[in-house]
């Protein structure tokens, strides 16, 4: 049974900052955002977590393995090195969507994302080390079947992007509403999905749904673990099996 | 009349690299990708261009103001500092979609994105300095009206993301097929669109289309300039006018 | 009694790489080196350690609190994100110089720094968590008295640099040969020294020696802790006391 | 005849910032400083300049090829992305020491490095494009002969560092006082020197002086160019000739 620890990372009062006193250079905003994301990804990632850029000013992370002290340190370190500060909400649950809802509420209760006085909030609770289990996190790693051959090498780069994006948009909504899962585009033709305890039939249904709705053919490898990295690493191996064997859905724990 | 210079940046043989000899840690891939993007954004940006992360392994940039020598230098510098290399295709045209198609074709003609032997290609031509004009680039900067009040402070972070993403997905397809424009999500609730010579009615139509199709209310500021930065900076100012005046479409050159 | 865990970080076969097949752009080497250092500093630092840039291709870190698994993860992560790889030697001892000697020997025994076949070595042992103690690390933080008033605002920037550098060069040799300590310039007018169990008289002697030899007046705050960060943070507070009270040597544990 | 354009980059009011309201984590300061340096190095470097980390809060750059508008853009971009701001002084001259003195004075005249009200100054003048010449910059690239064999693979890492550092300290003072040159350690066993119009005998004297004073054997390649990169690139090639032929001094323009 999954027990996903989710962190919502919110840049404090970011929108107003980007236009004060004048709009700031877009290239600088893009550089700053993506480096901030990279730093968070590295911090969380070398503790076993996964971080998704999401909207860049609102970043979602799976942080099983990160204590509240780790969160506080991340917050302090970013505050020392960037012109912006972070608020963090942390929550846990069997259902990743519910966990993220709880994490979001904790920040919303502390004030608006654009409230000047709400800065560097740290709200919520992390899972105590003793209560962590080997199947706390379930990760599904989807990609588009032969995206390079079908799209990248055939269409112009934007039309390829539209295809990938369309597949992602359909998958994210479907997985959220039907399977209580959080889906994130992670570059290329890859989508990583944070799931509750789903089975093979659920993934087959999802892959079929996307193929039918938007005509994008996907495959998926799924893994479980104590942390997002462990689950995700197994998912990557399972996806390699899809690629090698031409299967659509592989659950790594059934292949072991 | 616009004359947009578009560069397609493609990481050479990236997919295979990410799983050789074993799948690499996702957090490292995310960190590396986003920092590479940030570096390209900074290089292109401090020459007046805009860079969009797109799929991260296929990045689209508006590079009016960057010579082929600049492109070669970017390629060399990335090759010196990253474990991956870049191929670059450059093309120009009134229609940004056509320009990107041409840029894409130049790389496709040189080989597959996953061809081991196609490395560090630099194909195409940049606009000679003497032929650059003050209205070469038209940029539209869209955002979602009161996204913080309507979504971020109200819904959970993923449902907010779905709303924003849905607005973007609809806008990107509409602008591409109806208005020959390239739309890119740039974080928060912002979408930047690289346009041919569109007028106020086109933007009103687009905003109305998105509102009708997916019930997301957007506003847009539009600017023109010799470079993406100049056009985009005017677009930002126009968008500030929308925010201040409650209007939906502002063309900065009509406000001057 | 101190028990300092020291890590020698060596970029594998770096010299030859910088000139193969042709000399690489110096600005790219500088950028790559300093970012690699920054990443190591961040990784080690958010586990309580201190990292010193030293020669950039040979970096010394105080890593109490980092396990061998942490070291392996740092090595893997750098290997995934940089065009170069790292070898790491770890050793521990009362005497930081001896610890670094042991760490160095472990790498030397594995092969030359410019041996193509010696890549990603990880040698040595870290202190088991149960054997860590609150006075394992002693850090002294020196700075130059009123460097801004005496030098930065008065001399040209290079002559100021010569003064600071001269103070550092004298201090590093003296502390190494007389007090078995490792001294590192850390920017501005600051030198951080990793010490065995020294007392107030030792620091007074060192400050007097530098003043006499090269006419540079320094002050020093000293702290002890379970990690470099804890010891160094106390040292910073002690140095603030020097600044406030005009004293030359402050041991934080005697002020508590 | 050389005409070196030198920029002094000073972080505004940095010392006080590092301890306000409490001392900041050293690892964060080190990370921030070295990344800021890397960004400046990249910006200046891809315009043909060289940037030296120097004291990190006071950075010296050779900026032939960077206009005042480029400097302003660097300043703006750093201000958008870092928690600190930069002041920049620019000056030019046959004698690099004199140029740096002039650049320093311009900032000193604007206020103290620790004056809260002196922020983002941009003072001085750049060389107009039409007055740039092919021999404006002369760069000498020194390294220690067989540093790996004699030191890195033999001594402990700190004693190796002391040897290199001692060679550098002697060289920097000698080159400054006898040859009006600015010498910077750039990592490994490399020192890059910004020179006026010196000849072979000057470099032979310098190499002999260091060998005699501190028993460190160095070799040097020298280049000239319109920019630091061009001069420095020739210097690197000349140094490769030293390594291949066992010579001590090579002037690239005499080998051509």
């Amino acid at each position: 049974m999954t027990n996903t620890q989710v962190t919502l990372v919110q840049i404090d009062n970011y929108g107003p900052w980007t236009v004060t006193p004048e709009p700031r250079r877009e290239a600088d905003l893009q550089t700053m955002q993506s480096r901030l994301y990279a730093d968070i990804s590295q911090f969380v990632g070398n503790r076993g977590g996964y971080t998704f850029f999401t909207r860049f000013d609102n970043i979602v992370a799976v942080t099983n393995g990160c204590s509240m002290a780790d969160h506080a340190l991340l917050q302090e370190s970013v505050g020392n090195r960037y012109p912006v500060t972070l608020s963090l909400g942390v929550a846990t649950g069997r259902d990743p969507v519910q966990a993220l809802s709880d994490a979001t509420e904790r920040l919303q209760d502390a004030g608006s994302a654009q409230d000047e006085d709400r800065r560097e909030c740290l709200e919520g609770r992390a899972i105590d080390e003793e209560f962590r289990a080997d199947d706390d996190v379930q990760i599904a790693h989807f990609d588009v079947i032969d995206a390079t051959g079908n799209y990248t090498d055939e269409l112009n780069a934007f039309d390829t992007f539209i295809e990938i994006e369309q597949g992602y948009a359909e998958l994210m909504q479907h997985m959220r509403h039907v399977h209580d899962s959080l889906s994130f585009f992670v570059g290329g033709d890859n989508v990583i999905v944070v799931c509750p305890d789903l089975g093979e039939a659920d993934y087959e249904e999802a892959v079929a749904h996307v193929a039918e709705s938007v005509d994008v053919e996907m495959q998926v490898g799924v893994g479980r673990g104590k942390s997002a990295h462990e689950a995700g690493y197994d998912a990557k191996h399972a996806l390699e099996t899809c690629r090698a064997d031409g299967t659509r859905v592989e659950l790594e724990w059934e292949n072991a």
Side-chain angles (χ1 to χ4, degrees), chain A:
Chain A
M1 203 163 56
T2 59
N3 191 28
T4 316
Q5 180 178 311
V6 175
T7 301
L8 173 61
V9 178
Q10 203 168 71
I11 304 182
D12 295 315
N13 201 25
Y14 185 53
W17 180 86
T18 64
V19 293
T20 304
E22 286 289 307
R24 294 172 193 262
R25 288 180 76 90
E26 190 61 33
D28 290 338
L29 297 178
Q30 296 297 314
T31 302
M32 199 272 282
Q33 286 173 12
S34 48
R35 286 184 177 169
L36 174 55
Y37 163 67
D39 268 12
I40 298 170
S41 177
Q42 203 54 33
F43 184 100
V44 169
N46 61 44
R47 284 162 181 77
Y50 268 17
T51 309
F52 303 103
F53 59 82
T54 326
R55 294 164 61 203
F56 284 101
D57 60 349
N58 283 267
I59 286 173
V60 176
V62 177
T63 55
N64 296 60
C66 295
S67 65
M68 292 309 287
D70 290 331
H71 283 79
L73 180 55
L74 171 63
Q75 198 174 45
E76 177 186 349
S77 181
V78 167
N80 280 337
R81 298 183 292 110
Y82 283 88
V84 295
T85 55
L86 303 181
S87 286
L88 306 175
V90 186
T92 301
R94 279 191 217 176
D95 171 346
V97 175
Q98 188 57 48
L100 181 57
S101 289
D102 293 346
T104 308
E105 253 179 57
R106 283 165 190 181
L107 289 191
Q108 286 167 343
D109 289 349
S112 166
Q114 296 194 356
D115 178 340
E116 290 188 8
D117 297 324
R118 200 214 66 184
R119 283 169 63 92
E120 299 198 316
C121 289
L122 175 59
E123 305 290 338
R125 282 189 51 189
I127 305 170
D128 281 338
E129 194 59 32
E130 65 201 277
F131 297 118
R132 296 179 62 197
D134 282 348
D135 58 356
D136 275 351
V137 184
Q138 182 163 326
I139 294 281
H141 195 133
F142 288 76
D143 77 0
V144 175
I145 295 174
D146 195 16
T148 301
N150 291 329
Y151 302 114
T152 311
D153 289 348
E154 293 302 319
L155 304 182
N156 77 55
F158 200 80
D159 289 342
T160 296
F161 181 42
I162 285 177
E163 292 292 327
I164 304 288
E165 174 66 25
Q166 218 178 352
Y168 169 52
E170 193 58 39
L171 183 66
M172 83 185 293
Q173 296 194 45
H174 185 76
M175 292 303 293
R176 188 257 177 266
H177 293 298
V178 178
H179 299 298
D180 300 318
S181 299
L182 304 169
S183 307
F184 300 94
F185 176 64
V186 294
D189 58 341
N190 297 266
V191 177
I192 290 180
V193 187
V194 185
C195 305
D197 207 354
L198 302 181
E200 188 159 5
D202 298 309
Y203 295 108
E204 274 164 2
E205 187 275 342
V207 164
H209 172 86
V210 173
E212 206 171 288
S213 307
V214 294
D215 198 29
V216 175
E217 303 284 337
M218 302 188 89
Q219 55 198 346
V220 57
V222 190
R224 284 174 181 160
K226 194 173 176 181
S227 67
H229 167 68
E230 286 174 24
Y233 199 72
D234 274 5
K236 283 168 180 266
H237 272 115
L239 187 58
E240 290 294 290
T241 307
C242 290
R243 287 170 184 154
D245 297 358
T247 49
R248 291 298 173 93
V249 177
E250 292 288 341
L251 310 184
E252 186 68 5
W253 63 87
E254 306 214 326
N255 295 334

